[in-house]
């Protein structure tokens, strides 16, 4: 049984929409990071689906680079969130005003 590419694209669109809603609604930095990761993985799913459709390795190669960048982003982002939490005791993005004068 072969899953059609349209199903992958539909799942990808739903995941991307959920990630977008998470970024727009939630105010916790950790949930924002998880929502951004969800959006990145939705794009990865679409890239792999289209790469499979066209029998081309370019999409899978781009997904590999996106995964590496996402892993680095998580490491740096979580380190920043932990540091902010230790100094402010909150990770609410509305209450974090470190760059304000």
């Amino acid at each position: 049984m072969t899953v059609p590419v349209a199903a992958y694209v539909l799942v990808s669109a739903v995941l991307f929409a959920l990630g977008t809603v998470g970024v727009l609604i939630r105010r916790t930095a950790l949930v924002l990071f998880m929502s951004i990761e969800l959006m990145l993985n939705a794009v990865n799913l679409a890239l792999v689906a289209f790469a499979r459709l066209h029998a081309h390795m370019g999409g899978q190669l781009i997904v590999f680079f996106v995964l590496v960048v996402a892993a680095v982003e998580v490491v740096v982002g979580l380190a920043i969130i932990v540091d902010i939490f230790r100094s402010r005791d909150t990770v609410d993005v509305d209450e974090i005003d470190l760059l304000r004068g």
Side-chain angles (χ1 to χ4, degrees):
M1 178 177 161
T2 303
V3 178
V5 174
Y8 289 115
V9 173
L10 179 65
V11 170
S12 173
V14 169
L15 290 175
F16 193 85
L18 287 174
T20 303
V21 169
V23 167
L24 294 176
I25 291 177
R26 301 302 297 258
R27 298 288 64 163
T28 306
L30 192 59
V31 175
L32 288 176
F33 265 119
M34 290 190 309
S35 297
I36 291 171
E37 291 297 322
L38 187 62
M39 292 167 56
L40 284 173
N41 285 324
V43 171
N44 286 340
L45 180 62
L47 282 172
V48 169
F50 286 124
R52 181 175 172 215
L53 176 68
H54 296 291
H56 195 268
M57 289 293 292
Q60 295 175 3
L61 189 63
I62 292 172
V63 167
F64 177 73
F65 287 118
V66 169
L67 286 175
V68 170
V69 170
V72 172
E73 174 214 348
V74 166
V75 169
V76 173
L78 287 178
I80 292 171
I81 288 173
V82 167
D83 187 52
I84 290 172
F85 181 74
R86 286 183 179 169
S87 66
R88 301 275 177 145
D89 288 333
T90 184
V91 289
D92 189 0
V93 292
D94 289 333
E95 295 179 14
I96 299 171
D97 55 357
L98 295 175
L99 297 179
R100 293 183 189 161

